[in-house]
Structure formats: structure tokens, C-alpha cells
Amino acid sequence: MSLSVRLRHPFPGLMLDVAFTAPGGVTALFGRSGAGKTSVIQAVAGLLRPREGRIALDERVFLDTKAGRALPPHRRRMGYVFQEGRLFPHLSVRRNLRYGAWFAGGAAAETFDAVVALLGLEALLDRAPGDLSGGERQRVAIGRALLARPRMLLMDEPLAALDAARKAEILPYLERLRDEAKIPILYVSHAIEEVARLASTIVVLEAGRVAQAGPAAALLADPAAVPLLGVRDAGAVVTAIVRAHAPDGLSELALGSERLVLPGVSAMPGTPLRLRIPAQDVILATARPEGLSALNVLPATILGLQSGTGPGVMVQLQLGDTQILARVTRRSADALQLAPGRSCYAILKSVAIAPVDIGGIVPPR
């Protein structure tokens, strides 16, 4: 399924004027607070009627202001997940889930069981919402939305109210949802680590407009996108395959033809993982260094350099068929004579990649 969105709507101090296409998978609307992300997702859901615009999911038109067409929310069949779970406090988890199924006219037992298994809710069914953690409540809210048999899931900052531990708990379930449910998702967030873990497409909003959009891997590795994403948060996303686990607690991964060593990951050999490599944790050398504690020394070729207004330079690197970023000072770039086409080595400490930046580990059923 493909969602096409074109909106124009005035707000005090902001003119929302966006146009983008969200293909299948997870499309992340990313941007600072006040950029217009929630307004866009509300317009898609039918909770906001823009002054001008057209919204369609494949051939089904939800909104066309020129034609005077605007389907009400219940006819759009969108599953909406808010920042807070918004569960019915007087109903058990099972009955909250059953409400979603009832809203869609009922669900077969196997469908109910499949959603419960997908989100790991088996042990929670007889508990009350007040007895759940924040991450558990959000998983129930997602399950309720899925059981309503939506055409698309709309998720508005679903992890914003959770602490780091609860985010780490729920992210693998969102990855499972992305990979197994096969339902398109429009995901609003201002947290780059969530976007890097989950998104297949990114739409960056700034002051009510689309500043940049494209496939997640390409956009995150583009130095020109760094000012929009945040210099300190810049980092490319790569796919690596678990190769082996060593007795000393380290895991060896294949990054193309190169070896990448990380602290032990709980994934079987052969498992593909999605890794976010922060640009500020990559060190560059023009000759292979010796006597370093860093275990990852990867040959690379410089594709380009992007200078900012400060003392930093963002360097785009080609590692086999993968691209990453390195953030260095302009003084270092000049001293090393870094330039497009030059060969170098990208150095990465094993502990530089945090657990939250490792995706693709599926929680046990």
C-alpha cells in the first residue's frame, strides 16, 4: 500500500504545507516539536480537516478538498496509537483487546491469538491496565488497534512518555510488528534512535514543510541531512550479519566483507541486525593504525565532506556497499588532507554502539 499526502493548512505562527508519499513499511515523520508532525497524522486519521489537500491510500481517497470529499475517521479504518495507551481502566487487558475486535465486527480466535503472540501479551490478559508498566500498556494499545483490522497504523510518538528501559523493552516488538504484520505504519517521532531502528522511509519536517524525504539508509548517511537531523544525533544505519560469539563476551558480525566486533548480542549466528553507527564515534586515519584498543579498523573511501557553521566537518564514507558518517574537526580534516576519493580507515570502538542502536533482535514468543 502507498499513502499519498498533500496538505495545506494555517495555524497561528505556522503554515502547514506538505506533500509526500509513504510506501509500504514504516514511514517516519521526523522533526522538532512544532514542526507539524502530529497535525499531519491527525489529518490522515480524519481528526483534522485541512483547508486544502488530498489524502489517498492506494486508490481509496480519504480527503479531496477540491472535490468536497472528506471521509469521517471511522470510515478511513486507521489504527491510531497515541503517546499514552488510553486503555479503558475498568476493563482487563483481554477485554481492551476484545473491544478493538468488536469495533471491527469481531475477530476470529486465531486472529486474536496471533496478535497476542505477536506482541507478547499472553501473561497480561487477565491484568488491569493500572497494573501494567508503560511499555506493556503501549503494547496492549497497539494490539487493540491491530484487532480493529486497520488499513494502516498511525503511531503518534508512542514511546515519548516512556523511560529508556521501557523504550528498550518495546522497540523489539515494534520491529516484529513491522516485519511480521505486513501493515503500513506512519510513525511520528523526534527521537532519531527510534527512527533509525524502525523506519524504511523518513520524511523530515521543518517549520511545517518537508525539508527532506527518502529511504532511511540513504537519508541517514547523507551529510546534507545532518543539520536537519541534529549534529550530535547524526549516524548512518547499516545491516550486519551475526557471524559468531566469542567466549570473552564479544560478538563478531559481518559488515559486507569486513568484520565488526561488538559486545555480546543475543542473536543467533546468521541473524541480520540493523545497526546505527553514531558519526561522532567514528575516528579516521589515513594509514592503518597499530597499538589501538579499538577492535574495529575498517578500510573506507571518502565520498564527500560537509562543513557546518561550527568547527566540525561531516565525512561520508564508503565501506564496501555500505555508507557511514564520521564527524571530525575542520582542523583534523585539513591536517589529514581529507578529500573525496581518498582511502582511509574508519576506527570504531566496540562499545560505541549502544544496545538501543542495535535492531532486529526478535523477543522470544
Side-chain angles (χ1 to χ4, degrees):
M1 286 187 177
S2 177
L3 176 75
S4 61
V5 176
R6 179 174 51 79
L7 303 172
R8 183 175 171 82
H9 189 77
F11 292 97
L14 177 73
M15 172 58 77
L16 184 66
D17 190 354
V18 301
F20 64 89
T21 298
V26 177
T27 297
L29 296 181
F30 178 83
R32 300 178 179 88
S33 296
K37 307 183 299 296
T38 293
S39 297
V40 170
I41 206 170
Q42 287 180 342
V44 174
L47 303 179
L48 167 70
R49 183 163 180 179
R51 179 174 293 177
E52 302 174 33
R54 187 179 188 277
I55 301 172
L57 185 62
D58 288 339
E59 301 303 317
R60 187 173 182 84
V61 178
F62 297 146
L63 172 78
D64 188 337
T65 54
K66 287 186 176 180
R69 179 179 178 82
L71 289 183
H74 69 276
R75 291 187 57 196
R76 301 190 186 197
R77 280 184 49 201
M78 295 291 191
Y80 204 124
V81 180
F82 298 86
Q83 281 190 27
E84 308 83 18
R86 300 196 183 185
L87 304 178
F88 297 114
H90 62 294
L91 299 181
S92 67
V93 167
R94 186 189 307 274
R95 294 178 66 191
N96 267 281
L97 294 171
R98 289 292 185 195
Y99 179 85
W102 170 83
F103 189 81
E110 59 267 24
T111 301
F112 182 90
D113 293 342
V115 170
V116 167
L118 177 71
L119 296 167
L121 302 175
E122 296 92 337
L124 308 179
L125 292 176
D126 296 320
R127 291 167 61 179
D131 296 329
L132 305 178
S133 71
E136 289 169 340
R137 284 193 294 271
Q138 285 299 77
R139 282 156 52 196
V140 175
I142 294 167
R144 185 175 61 183
L146 281 176
L147 284 166
R149 290 185 292 175
R151 294 186 174 94
M152 186 175 199
L153 271 183
L154 308 177
M155 307 185 79
D156 188 4
E157 301 271 14
L159 307 187
L162 305 180
D163 59 25
R166 300 289 79 77
K167 286 184 181 182
E169 167 197 315
I170 198 173
L171 272 169
Y173 290 99
L174 295 181
E175 290 173 323
R176 176 184 279 174
L177 175 65
R178 175 198 63 200
D179 298 337
E180 298 184 23
K182 305 302 181 185
I183 181 171
I185 300 172
L186 190 61
Y187 189 96
V188 167
S189 180
H190 64 270
I192 193 64
E193 65 273 11
E194 294 174 32
V195 171
R197 282 276 295 267
L198 298 172
S200 47
T201 302
I202 300 175
V203 177
V204 183
L205 297 185
E206 187 174 46
R209 296 176 180 271
V210 176
Q212 199 156 352
L219 194 148
L220 291 171
D222 183 358
V226 168
L228 300 170
L229 301 174
V231 173
R232 292 191 175 277
D233 290 329
V237 170
V238 303
T239 299
I241 309 295
V242 178
R243 181 182 291 172
H245 301 295
D248 61 0
L250 296 177
S251 296
E252 183 177 312
L253 287 74
L255 181 60
S257 60
E258 298 299 322
R259 184 191 71 159
L260 191 64
V261 177
L262 299 180
V265 296
S266 55
M268 296 291 291
T271 303
L273 299 180
R274 189 175 185 177
L275 311 177
R276 175 175 169 267
I277 301 178
Q280 64 184 7
D281 291 327
V282 178
I283 298 172
L284 298 183
T286 53
R288 178 176 283 276
E290 297 181 358
L292 287 180
S293 62
L295 297 176
N296 300 302
V297 180
L298 308 171
T301 302
I302 297 174
L303 292 179
L305 297 90
Q306 181 86 24
S307 296
T309 56
V313 174
M314 201 63 67
V315 185
Q316 187 180 36
L317 304 166
Q318 187 77 41
L319 278 69
D321 58 357
T322 297
Q323 295 178 9
I324 68 170
L325 297 174
R327 183 186 176 206
V328 301
T329 63
R330 187 176 292 109
R331 182 181 298 182
S332 294
D334 292 341
L336 294 174
Q337 297 182 334
L338 302 183
R342 178 159 190 181
S343 297
C344 65
Y345 292 89
I347 302 159
L348 181 68
K349 294 172 62 177
S350 296
V351 296
I353 300 178
V356 73
D357 290 324
I358 304 174
I361 302 175
V362 177
R365 288 187 183 271

